[in-house]
Amino acid sequence: MDTNVSEVVRDSATQGLYDRLEDRCLMRDQKGASDVLYDLIRAGRPLNEIVSEGVRIHAPYTHVPYHERIDDGYPNFVNNDHCLLSARATINLTHMVPSHLSMLPMAQTIWYIPTGLDIWNQKINKAPGHYTRHRGNMTLDEKPPAPVVYWPDQEPAQLTGSLKERLNEWMTLVHRGEVLPAYRHFLGLMQNPAERNDVLAEMCFAGLMDVQDRLLHNRSYTTGHKAYRARSTVELGNALGWDKAHNVIYAGALDIAVGPRWYSTYEVACNYIKMMIEGEALHAVPYGGVSEAELAVLRNREPVNQEEAAELITAILRQGEIETLEVLTRLLKAGKDPRRLIDVTQLAVAQLVLETQDPTAFNMPHHCYEYQNTLAWFYDTFDHPRRLRLLYVAAMFANRVAYHQQGLHEVHPVSVQVPSGANALSAQQLLQRVDQSICALNGAECIGWVQAYCDNVTDKTPLVQTIALAATKLGNDPHNQEIAQCMLMDFGTNRQPDRDKLLLAAAYHTAMHRKYGDPLEPARRFGQALGFAELH
């Protein structure tokens, strides 16, 4: 299956298949949409084309008026889209699983799209889908109500001034929640290819700075989703080509300004750096820009040793926000590389994942992990001048998740038990045990087998592939597959000597996170339709 063809002639039969796919998705028909995908695969259609069509189909229907409701005096969360996130996971996982199963991630995305439309009405039980599962309402009737377009697509509008001035005006519109003006101006900003990288960086920055200020006993929060949607926009646009990515921008960039928006944690980061890095007393005057002292810290290149990493991890997991900020600042003042400190925050949050046992209690740890991964990606992708502040946001987010898990009594000792006789097994036999235990949803057993592989086999590439495939097989909400993909990605970039913990966390989370329906059904149907016996 060709995944990289940018322009393939489309005949009437192919167009008919895409028309049928759209119809089945809008009818919330998971099985019918999947059957069309199998026909597209048999017809040799390239992955990028299918991804693009999937985004085109769902883009108008995955926005909401607001990510919170007040219903008879009670605040209720309105969830974020997972369809675009699933497409981003697809273009990454397709290179991580065995080549003959490279379309399985796309199959999971198509399986999900019919359940991911019109979240607003799902939440009030006026539309079928993923968020009505707990009511037993996945298929409301033979002809469900049409999904609602809350924010129609727009034409580009142009701002005047320098790029910095235009980006600042766009950010002001986002901050004020002026959704359509912000979107129109973003489309205008994207029209100049020479400025596009800076525009995309600012969009991702706007997502990363939007993190709530508390978690415990709240049910309404962003959990970093604006950043994940912005990052998906960038990765998908790069993969498809920006001249073919308008629907991706519509699906992703517009949501940045949709409320509520949470900037108090980012404000703490700004003020703390002003005081503790720049040494300036705060006054009741407006501040702006980036100082030379802040930029100088971004040029730090000293590695973080294990003792320093342990100190920061302890502060995040077992102490409070004050201690977390103090340790982080002390390390930065000692010349430690901010990017390498993200390696440490990744390990801290991976530990939170491993300490969680209730399948319903992974929500905060796994979202926080995705934030750490997205921030690392942001550092590696863009040279944004304000990115140091986001390291502080990441550390505070992780510390709040640790407190959240304590409040839920979900901080359990992690005991990795390597099965007896594991060292007598071949690498292939160990990999089989890893896959079997993950798919059996046995978290304790799977981390034992992962550890056994790490103890006995030097080459981790087959293990990464095995965990990625297991994550791809377990479907019904591909946002969960994305968490394993993030952890496996970070295993390849993290420079801490105990980075194997990311492999343990990826396997454990895949086995333990909350499942919906029959989690193996989409993979099983894919295998039966296309003749992959190992998926039956």
Side-chain angles (χ1 to χ4, degrees), residues 448-467:
W449 287 116
V450 171
Q451 189 63 59
Y453 185 96
C454 291
D455 290 346
N456 291 282
V457 183
T458 302
D459 183 9
K460 302 300 192 299
T461 303
L463 178 59
V464 169
Q465 184 181 79
T466 296
I467 298 171

Side-chain angles (χ1 to χ4, degrees), residues 33-325:
S34 296
D35 288 341
V36 177
L37 173 68
Y38 308 150
D39 287 339
L40 288 164
I41 294 171
R42 294 186 188 105
R45 306 313 300 178
L47 175 63
N48 282 357
E49 178 186 278
I50 301 173
V51 168
S52 179
E53 286 294 314
V55 175
R56 177 190 64 79
I57 290 166
H58 75 67
Y61 311 114
T62 46
H63 293 295
V64 297
Y66 206 73
H67 287 289
E68 187 178 58
R69 300 173 58 93
I70 300 292
D71 295 314
D72 196 16
Y74 203 110
N76 288 301
F77 179 47
V78 179
N79 298 69
N80 294 273
D81 168 52
H82 291 182
C83 296
L84 197 71
L85 275 58
S86 179
R88 188 205 70 81
T90 288
I91 63 172
N92 286 277
L93 284 168
T94 192
H95 301 296
M96 301 174 76
V97 301
S99 58
H100 67 289
L101 298 175
S102 63
M103 291 299 285
L104 178 57
M106 189 70 235
Q108 294 286 6
T109 295
I110 293 298
W111 180 262
Y112 181 80
I113 288 174
T115 74
L117 308 181
D118 199 354
I119 296 170
W120 183 268
N121 275 323
Q122 286 191 45
K123 296 291 287 188
I124 55 177
N125 206 29
K126 291 184 177 180
H130 179 70
Y131 297 102
T132 61
R133 290 177 188 274
H134 65 286
R135 302 186 184 100
N137 179 9
M138 278 289 289
T139 52
L140 194 65
D141 50 45
E142 290 186 4
K143 188 173 182 180
V148 176
V149 178
Y150 296 100
W151 301 107
D153 203 357
Q154 302 290 306
E155 293 296 322
Q158 300 296 332
L159 293 165
T160 59
S162 67
L163 179 60
K164 181 179 179 179
E165 291 169 335
R166 285 178 281 135
L167 289 175
N168 192 57
E169 177 62 22
W170 173 77
M171 185 70 80
T172 299
L173 293 170
V174 169
H175 186 204
R176 293 174 178 172
E178 297 187 33
V179 178
L180 292 182
Y183 175 54
R184 284 194 292 266
H185 289 304
F186 186 83
L187 292 176
L189 286 163
M190 284 291 288
Q191 289 187 319
N192 184 350
E195 297 176 338
R196 191 171 290 152
N197 192 68
D198 289 336
V199 173
L200 293 171
E202 195 71 3
M203 175 185 65
C204 292
F205 174 72
L208 284 159
M209 64 189 278
D210 190 347
V211 174
Q212 68 289 323
D213 55 1
R214 60 164 292 112
L215 294 173
L216 185 61
H217 304 315
N218 278 57
R219 296 293 298 167
S220 184
Y221 26 56
T222 171
T223 58
H225 257 280
K226 296 294 183 72
Y228 317 147
R229 199 161 179 168
R231 186 250 190 104
S232 297
T233 302
V234 174
E235 289 199 41
L236 289 165
N238 286 338
L240 301 179
W242 289 104
D243 58 330
K244 303 179 182 67
H246 176 80
N247 291 311
V248 170
I249 298 171
Y250 178 30
L254 182 148
D255 183 67
I256 295 292
V258 175
R261 290 160 305 284
W262 316 79
Y263 298 129
S264 55
T265 300
Y266 175 74
E267 183 185 2
V268 170
C270 293
N271 291 338
Y272 202 85
I273 288 172
K274 180 68 67 178
M275 294 184 295
M276 301 304 176
I277 298 293
E278 300 174 25
E280 184 174 331
L282 289 180
H283 301 284
V285 297
Y287 292 94
V290 184
S291 71
E292 177 52 36
E294 183 175 350
L295 293 173
V297 173
L298 287 172
R299 296 191 287 270
N300 288 358
R301 289 298 177 266
E302 285 294 317
V304 184
N305 65 40
Q306 285 186 282
E307 182 180 351
E308 293 162 338
E311 183 183 16
L312 181 56
I313 289 172
T314 298
I316 289 172
L317 298 186
R318 310 299 179 219
Q319 297 174 358
E321 185 169 284
I322 293 173
E323 293 84 356
T324 298
L325 293 172

Side-chain angles (χ1 to χ4, degrees), residues 299-374:
R299 296 191 287 270
N300 288 358
R301 289 298 177 266
E302 285 294 317
V304 184
N305 65 40
Q306 285 186 282
E307 182 180 351
E308 293 162 338
E311 183 183 16
L312 181 56
I313 289 172
T314 298
I316 289 172
L317 298 186
R318 310 299 179 219
Q319 297 174 358
E321 185 169 284
I322 293 173
E323 293 84 356
T324 298
L325 293 172
E326 288 177 345
V327 172
L328 179 59
T329 303
R330 185 163 63 250
L331 291 171
L332 289 168
K333 286 186 172 182
K336 303 304 171 180
D337 186 341
R339 173 61 182 85
R340 304 282 57 100
L341 286 165
I342 301 173
D343 292 348
V344 179
T345 63
Q346 289 174 353
L347 295 179
V349 181
Q351 181 68 24
L352 287 173
V353 170
L354 291 167
E355 291 176 353
T356 302
Q357 293 183 0
D358 184 342
T360 66
F362 284 89
N363 191 36
M364 285 305 126
H366 78 212
H367 280 99
C368 187
Y369 190 87
E370 186 165 6
Y371 188 91
Q372 312 303 317
N373 166 266
T374 302

